[in-house]
Amino acid sequence: MFPRPLTPLAAPNGAEPLGRALRRVPSGRARAGLGAPPLLLPSMLMFAVIVASSGLLLMIERGILAEMKPLPLHPPNREGAVWRETVPRSGGLLLDAGDSDLQVRQDVRNRTLRAVCGQPGMPRDPWDLPVGQRRTLLRHILVLAGVLDNVDVRLKMDHRSDLVFLADLRPDEIRYRLQHYFKFLFVRDPLERLLSAYRNKFGEIREYQQRYGAEIVRRYRAGAGPSPAGDDVTFPEFLRYLVDEDPERMNEHWMPVYHLCQPCAVRYDFVGSYERLEADANQVLEWVRAPPHVRFPARQAWYRPASPESLHYHLCSAPRAVLQDVLPKYILDFSLFAYPLPNVTREACHQ
């Protein structure tokens, strides 16, 4: 549904635009050394609520309304942003009494992010990141620009020409938006995200079949020949490819969300989930006091997301050794965003 995992942010004033989600870091975080790998595993494993699916950044489409103008770099009143009066300081979603299990997950996400990102060596802002990581981050954080005049338009936007990313702005503009804009991130079950990317990219998009699929088949299929079409990649072959890839150099559709969105270098005001996409998106719109006619667009009728049953089937069909090698690459997505690891025991797979 979203051709690219993105992070949107909203402007501080309801009369001004809902910008793309950007992340902020707590003030108590220590600076990271260039290239030093963060040693985070013990802190993450303190929390038992972890899910087996890769995190996905979803954005509320940046060009929602043409009339919603982007926030100026230095507006007259730089303090007292409207959204800061309505959003809980913890960044958690305001849930009713019937959503206790979801509230627990939100609390676990908030506590885990604070615990992990508060460790020595973690980045405080994007400029603490190595150049390559910072470039990846800024290329995937969207800023509202307003190119559509209503939310019911059915079209596919060109990422290169229609969307505005932080990387397109000057450093002072980037810093201002990171400090003052409402920053939000949507995540998804990590392995469910991988299955969705596999089905969409290798089952439907010729460019991905030629660029990645052909190489995957050459590498991992015996007797593939020198010029495979790349349109029949199997899920186990895709997983083997991920095992051999450097997470920081992966394609954005299967790069771990931790590397793609750097939730320690940017402190997000809210982390929503794909599982509650519409409800969480509408909550964000309410927090930023968007006009009543601005709403999260309905899914297109043809869209069929990956189901838990389909995910279970694909995981149980994959070699256990491959799964054991893939999961550590996404462990931060599982732990930071409170997704449980998958149950792929022989007993579970034979049910």
Side-chain angles (χ1 to χ4, degrees):
M1 177 177 179
F2 293 91
R4 182 173 192 165
L6 300 167
T7 325
L9 71 153
N13 191 319
E16 291 175 315
L18 176 92
R20 323 271 173 186
L22 303 170
R23 11 192 173 156
R24 260 183 316 193
V25 249
S27 57
R29 304 179 191 179
R31 298 185 174 272
L34 289 182
L39 301 175
L40 307 174
L41 216 53
S43 297
M44 304 176 239
L45 297 179
M46 292 171 57
F47 298 92
V49 193
I50 302 178
V51 181
S53 288
S54 63
L56 169 71
L57 272 144
L58 292 176
M59 73 170 190
I60 292 181
E61 191 67 61
R62 97 179 167 54
I64 287 183
L65 285 180
E67 66 226 44
M68 294 177 72
K69 302 296 187 294
L71 186 71
L73 178 58
H74 299 299
N77 181 12
R78 298 183 56 178
E79 300 177 1
V82 173
W83 62 266
R84 295 186 189 277
E85 302 170 2
T86 58
V87 179
R89 289 182 180 274
S90 65
L93 179 65
L94 294 175
L95 303 172
D96 58 38
D99 286 327
S100 57
D101 57 332
L102 295 169
Q103 185 66 67
V104 167
R105 179 167 291 186
Q106 287 288 336
D107 289 343
V108 169
R109 284 176 180 164
N110 294 334
R111 291 171 183 269
T112 309
L113 281 166
R114 286 197 296 268
V116 171
C117 297
Q119 292 188 17
M122 298 306 295
R124 296 167 52 118
D125 64 41
W127 280 265
D128 287 342
L129 297 170
V131 174
Q133 294 180 19
R134 181 169 67 249
R135 184 184 300 114
T136 296
L137 171 65
L138 299 181
R139 284 177 175 174
H140 291 88
I141 296 182
L142 289 165
V143 182
L144 181 68
V147 297
L148 302 179
D149 56 6
N150 70 78
V151 297
D152 297 317
V153 165
R154 290 289 182 266
L155 56 80
K156 182 175 180 180
M157 304 189 74
D158 188 309
H159 288 165
R160 295 178 179 84
S161 61
D162 293 334
L163 304 179
V164 177
F165 297 87
L166 277 188
D168 299 323
L169 306 178
R170 300 191 308 270
D172 57 338
E173 295 176 315
I174 294 172
R175 291 180 187 276
Y176 179 82
R177 282 159 176 77
L178 286 170
Q179 181 178 358
H180 294 281
Y181 274 38
F182 181 81
K183 300 167 291 296
F184 61 97
L185 160 69
F186 276 73
V187 297
R188 187 178 187 177
D189 229 87
L191 289 177
E192 185 179 300
R193 176 182 169 227
L194 289 183
L195 178 58
S196 178
Y198 162 75
R199 289 172 47 187
N200 175 251
K201 305 309 174 191
F202 300 110
E204 304 175 16
I205 302 179
R206 187 62 182 160
E207 177 185 352
Y208 278 78
Q209 294 170 357
Q210 294 174 337
R211 180 175 179 182
Y212 296 100
E215 177 62 23
I216 290 173
V217 171
R218 275 194 297 269
R219 282 197 209 174
Y220 305 105
R221 187 179 303 173
S227 303
D231 59 354
D232 61 346
V233 175
T234 66
F235 191 61
E237 288 171 342
F238 177 53
L239 294 181
R240 288 190 178 97
Y241 167 74
L242 296 178
V243 169
D244 293 336
E245 287 295 290
D246 178 354
E248 294 184 12
R249 297 179 180 276
M250 287 181 178
N251 178 275
E252 60 198 0
H253 294 96
W254 46 79
M255 178 183 288
V257 170
Y258 175 81
H259 294 288
L260 188 65
C261 302
Q262 297 290 344
C264 290
V266 177
R267 184 178 183 180
Y268 291 97
D269 297 293
F270 173 66
V271 177
S273 67
Y274 182 85
E275 295 77 17
R276 283 178 51 93
L277 178 58
E278 184 174 358
D280 286 2
N282 286 330
Q283 180 67 75
V284 169
L285 290 170
E286 180 180 338
W287 276 336
V288 300
R289 300 190 182 181
H293 57 286
V294 177
R295 65 192 182 282
F296 189 78
R299 277 189 175 138
Q300 297 181 11
W302 52 262
Y303 179 69
R304 294 291 182 271
S307 67
E309 295 76 19
S310 176
L311 176 64
H312 183 72
Y313 169 79
H314 280 85
L315 293 179
C316 288
S317 301
R320 293 171 61 86
V322 175
L323 288 176
Q324 290 173 349
D325 289 338
V326 165
L327 290 178
K329 296 203 169 189
Y330 295 88
I331 192 64
L332 282 172
D333 287 358
F334 286 119
S335 57
L336 288 177
F337 306 120
Y339 282 112
L341 290 167
N343 183 358
V344 288
T345 60
R346 289 185 177 85
E347 295 77 10
C349 287
H350 282 115
Q351 291 179 355

